[in-house]
Structures are given as structure tokens and as C-alpha cells.
Amino acid sequence: LANELPIPPPTTAPSPALSINDFPPRPTKASESISFHLHGYHGPPSGFADNIFRPFPPSSSGNVILPFMAFEHNGSSSSKNNLYPITHMYHHTHLHTTSTAHTLESFDSPQSSVVVEDGLGSALVVDLTSLNVAQGSTRSITGMWKMQNYNPPLPPLSLVEGAESSSSADGDSLYPLLKSTRFLANSKVDPTLTTSKNRIKMVNAGAGDTLVIKVEGDHLVVGRDGVLFPGAARSNPHGNKYVLEAGSRIDMFIFSPNVTIHSDCGEDLDLAWLGKKTDLNCWNGGTYATSGSGYSIFSVITSMTTSELSKSKKLVSSFDLSTYTNPSYYHPSQSLLSAEPVEKHDFVYYTSPDKFPSPPSMIPSSLYGFNGHPYDGQPSSSTVCLSKVYEWKVVNPTSVGHPFHMHTNHFQVVDYECDVGGGCDASPSYSIGDWRDTIMPPSPGSVTIRFKPLDWTGDSFAHCHIFGHEDRGMAVKVRIEDC
């Protein structure tokens, strides 16, 4: 499921590119176009690359060419660097109004990780996928019957009391609204994965659920969203529990011969960071759990000896992770914490008071947006320029969790605020100074981020990474220019 792309020095080989030739045509029964997105990719957002505005109509095919280049920036000049800044990405379909339905049909639409190796070595890559359509207390699952053929099959899923069925877009049989689904690991139900490594990279590639994971076994997290932490690996204020917003990634080393990853309901975490309890994937044995551990997602067995694991722990614990970070991008020397932004903007999540017809396979729902109106296909009022620093305050005035994702460029966390009595405890997901591309603002509350586009121009995108919300308008087009 992962394409490992070691980056050669530019003096010995040209910068590599991931080329997807003859992008698979949609089945003739599919009525909507799709587009392609490499989540976390630092590259062109236009042309044949990471262009989510380039549609593939039903029954058509095409090529996607994604160059992997990084640059050293020195004043007004720049040159290629052999260190690509992001090490873990994943690709999925992404066309406004159809993202949800086609991501759920991941058996027909390609969806998997892409990994660029760094100096810390290769990793076992685990794609965590779910098939949720609607965020909240009910989910409409298309294609769920396909999963019953997996070995072992999924346990029975509980129907929501009084829920009605919803029709899929292509006229197939009606599918029930289900109370919740579970996450799969590399398309398997609770697999045991064997590896000769002791590094794991995980991505929450689900359609919208926030996932709290509990790691059973000795481990250390070294990075998030494809970027190593600025400095040394850090201890987690929440012990062995971590929040994976939809679209976010986590990079860890394990030091036990076997480790199990569970879902968790996060009852001992500050729920201001997580939204309503129904925003969490706490499915357990066919019912929706409200406390404790949910279910085992996967286990890992490494062939490394106890002595080798002990040696690895000593080494990893002493690493200066910035040694392995591209100095041009996310190295501590490039921190934006003390930078002066040229512009500051507030982006306030918006939910319409009325229900509207929804994209295919989804229940009627509100429209969503930023600053009082849904996405209309036009660029935001402010163009961003290369080599300038911008500050956005992403505000969530509701109690519903909305993970925020930015294409093309990562951003740095500079502040956060909780609109709850007594303030916030330490975030279960991020710290000030972290570089991320997907983040959960407190619910209600805000997170303040800064970013500095350096290389690529074109129309980029920022949105809520609950695909159902993005499809209904919680998105903004970001135009990047060399101005």
C-alpha cells in the first residue's frame, strides 16, 4: 500500500516523480466525476500534479504526475535539495461535492500512503480507513456489503433506532443508516502485521471520524503529518493516547516485541479538543461505546530482538530530530513563531440553520462554510504571495469537531484558545511550534497558524477534513502567486 521513494542527490539523478498512468476510469455506473489529491504533498497544485480542480469524468482516464522536489532558499535564489520536506502522504479522490461518496468506495478508487524515506530509516506503513458517510450520530454506508466478504468478516453492525434507509446515487439497493463503523488497518479487520522494522507510520484515512488511539506497548512518537518534531522526541502528556484527526498522520518507534493499537473513547481527555462524543469513533462489538476502549485496530510483531529494541530506544531517545529535517522548510531555524505576518485573517466555521439536499448517498444536512457562507468556487478575497508569512485564526464556535486541512503548504501552530470554563489542558494532538497540515481547533475555540509559501503557485485549497462538511461548503480556495 505504500510506495517508498528514496530521494537521490540531484547530482546523480533527476528528482523523482510519482507517475500514475491511465488513472483508472470510474465504473460506468458512477455518475459523478472525481479528482486526485496527494494529501500532505508539497508540490504544484495545478496542471497534471496535485490539482483537485481537474476532473476525471465517468469512464475517463488520465495521467497524474507528481514531482518530488525540494529547494534550498537563499535570498532571491533557490536550488534543488536532496531532502524532500514531507515524508508521509496519502492519496485519495477529491472533487468538491463528491469527495465523500468516492472516498467511501475505496475498493474502486485508489487510496493509500506514499512514503519518502528519511535518515531515520524505513517504516511499516498502516492506512486506517473507515467507510463513514455522514458525521454525527448516524452514518450512511454504501458498499458496506462488500466488506462482509473479508476474512474475518465484520461483526454485525447496529442500526440506529428509527433510522430510515437512504438510496445510493447509482440506483443500487437501499443501504441502512448505521450507528457507527470501525476502522480497518490496511483493508483488514484487526490484522496482526509482522515487520523487521520498529518504526510505524499511520494515517487516519477515514472519511471524517476523529480517532483516539491507545498504544499498548513501549513506544515513542517522533513526528506528525510527515514532519519530525522540532528537536527531540517528546513525552506525551496523555500517556499512551493520541488523537488522529481525519487526514492526520503519526510517526512512532516501538520498543516492545509486540504492540497493539486500540481505539479509545477519550473519556479522560479534554473533550474541548474533540467535539461531541459522537464525533469519536468508539464503535465496539456492534454498539456505540461511550467510555473505555473501543476495539483493537491492529497488532504489530517485530522480528527485532529485545537487545536490538533496547539499543534503538536509547538511540531514538537521544536523537536531535532536526538533523533529519530539511533546513529550508521545517527546521527549527525556519520557525515562524517570531515572524511578523503580512496579513492576518479569521476563518470562522459556519453552519446553516436549515437542512438542504445533500450529495449522493448522504442524508439531508446543513450547508457548511467559512465566515458566514458556503464555498462558491471562487478564490478567497486575499491572494497569498511567495516568501511572505500569513497568519490565520481558525475559529470553531460550535461543539462539533471540525479538523482543518491545508493543501500544498504545511503551517506552524502559534497559539490556541478554548472557549470553555477553566481553559484548556495540553492538547492531545499538537503543541505550539509543531508543523502540521491537518489540525483540530478546540470545540468551541480557535487555533492560530502561520504559513509561508515558498515554491509553488496556483489555486490551492483549505477545508474541513470531514468530507461530508467539505462537500457541503466548508472550504476555501487559496490562490498563491509570485507577487
Side-chain angles (χ1 to χ4, degrees):
L1 290 176
N3 300 288
E4 294 186 351
L5 301 171
I7 299 298
T11 56
T12 60
S15 295
L18 175 64
S19 179
I20 301 178
N21 300 310
D22 297 325
F23 191 72
R26 298 296 304 152
T28 55
K29 67 179 182 179
S31 58
E32 308 95 353
S33 298
I34 63 172
S35 65
F36 179 92
H37 175 48
L38 183 57
H39 182 116
Y41 174 65
H42 180 78
S46 57
F48 290 93
D50 191 34
N51 185 358
I52 67 165
F53 305 107
R54 176 194 177 201
F56 291 87
S59 301
S60 69
S61 64
N63 297 330
V64 176
I65 302 173
L66 300 155
F68 286 86
M69 293 182 288
F71 295 83
E72 285 285 6
H73 299 275
N74 182 13
S76 60
S77 64
S78 62
S79 59
K80 288 182 181 179
N81 185 311
N82 66 318
L83 292 174
Y84 185 74
I86 310 300
T87 65
H88 189 189
M89 299 149 278
Y90 84 103
H91 63 78
H92 58 81
T93 60
H94 198 319
L95 189 67
H96 181 61
T97 74
T98 70
S99 299
T100 307
H102 290 306
T103 298
L104 300 175
E105 296 175 0
S106 55
F107 299 94
D108 300 322
S109 301
Q111 178 175 321
S112 65
S113 285
V114 175
V115 171
V116 177
E117 291 188 346
D118 58 21
L120 291 178
S122 59
L124 170 67
V125 182
V126 183
D127 293 342
L128 305 177
T129 54
S130 70
L131 299 182
N132 295 345
V133 177
Q135 183 70 11
S137 61
T138 62
R139 276 89 171 159
S140 173
I141 308 303
T142 64
M144 197 58 172
W145 60 271
K146 299 180 182 179
M147 299 182 62
Q148 302 301 325
N149 297 322
Y150 273 81
N151 186 18
L154 284 175
L157 297 171
S158 299
L159 295 175
V160 178
E161 183 177 354
E164 298 178 357
S165 297
S166 67
S167 176
S168 62
D170 52 32
D172 286 352
S173 58
L174 299 179
Y175 297 95
L177 296 178
L178 304 177
K179 194 164 190 176
S180 185
T181 63
R182 62 174 295 153
F183 274 80
L184 308 181
N186 290 350
S187 299
K188 301 295 182 182
V189 178
D190 192 16
T192 296
L193 307 176
T194 58
T195 179
S196 60
K197 311 172 182 72
N198 71 323
R199 188 180 184 184
I200 306 173
K201 291 176 180 284
M202 282 180 277
V203 55
N204 178 350
D209 274 349
T210 298
L211 180 63
V212 178
I213 62 169
K214 181 168 65 175
V215 183
E216 297 288 355
D218 195 7
H219 67 284
L220 192 62
V221 174
V222 295
R224 294 295 304 263
D225 287 0
V227 178
L228 298 174
F229 290 142
R234 65 174 69 128
S235 60
N236 180 20
H238 302 280
N240 62 345
K241 296 182 181 180
Y242 304 88
V243 174
L244 270 69
E245 306 94 331
S248 67
R249 288 89 73 209
I250 189 168
D251 186 352
M252 70 173 65
F253 280 83
I254 60 172
F255 309 114
S256 299
N258 54 76
V259 170
T260 301
I261 309 297
H262 291 270
S263 74
D264 190 89
C265 294
E267 71 276 6
D268 56 344
L269 301 179
D270 186 346
L271 288 182
W273 294 99
L274 306 176
K276 298 186 298 182
K277 182 68 73 173
T278 51
D279 291 337
L280 301 181
N281 188 279
C282 295
W283 182 90
N284 186 9
T287 61
Y288 188 85
T290 57
S291 63
S293 295
Y295 55 93
S296 174
I297 305 175
F298 70 97
S299 298
V300 176
I301 297 177
T302 176
S303 60
M304 294 177 64
T305 66
T306 302
S307 176
E308 290 171 331
L309 291 170
S310 178
K311 181 179 179 180
S312 174
K313 181 177 183 179
K314 184 178 295 186
L315 288 172
V316 174
S317 300
S318 64
F319 278 156
D320 177 1
L321 297 173
S322 60
T323 303
Y324 303 93
T325 302
N326 189 332
S328 296
Y329 292 90
Y330 310 121
H331 189 273
S333 64
Q334 302 301 312
S335 173
L336 303 179
L337 294 181
S338 59
E340 184 61 35
V342 296
E343 291 180 2
K344 297 182 179 181
H345 296 280
D346 288 356
F347 286 83
V348 182
Y349 288 134
Y350 163 75
T351 304
S352 68
D354 301 315
K355 303 293 183 182
F356 291 86
S358 297
S361 306
M362 299 173 66
I363 58 177
S365 179
S366 303
L367 290 179
Y368 297 93
F370 288 109
N371 297 338
H373 58 84
Y375 170 63
D376 59 5
Q378 301 301 311
S380 61
S381 58
S382 175
T383 296
V384 301
C385 301
L386 295 182
S387 301
K388 302 293 177 62
V389 177
Y390 295 85
E391 180 176 293
W392 289 4
K393 185 176 183 180
V394 184
V395 181
N396 182 4
T398 77
S399 60
V400 177
H402 292 288
F404 176 84
H405 171 52
M406 180 182 288
H407 292 201
T408 312
N409 295 288
H410 276 52
F411 49 77
Q412 191 171 29
V413 182
V414 298
D415 196 12
Y416 56 76
E417 181 179 357
C418 281
D419 187 17
V420 293
C424 292
D425 292 331
S427 166
S429 179
Y430 51 87
S431 299
I432 290 177
D434 284 358
W435 290 95
R436 300 290 296 269
D437 63 30
T438 307
I439 200 166
M440 180 76 79
S443 319
S446 65
V447 60
T448 302
I449 61 176
R450 289 178 188 160
F451 63 99
K452 183 180 181 181
L454 290 171
D455 308 315
W456 310 109
T457 59
D459 285 341
S460 187
F461 208 52
H463 60 92
C464 173
H465 213 276
I466 298 172
F467 288 135
H469 295 178
E470 184 273 318
D471 280 340
R472 298 186 189 104
M474 192 171 279
V476 60
K477 185 184 288 185
V478 183
R479 178 156 293 170
I480 307 171
E481 295 184 352
D482 186 4
C483 45

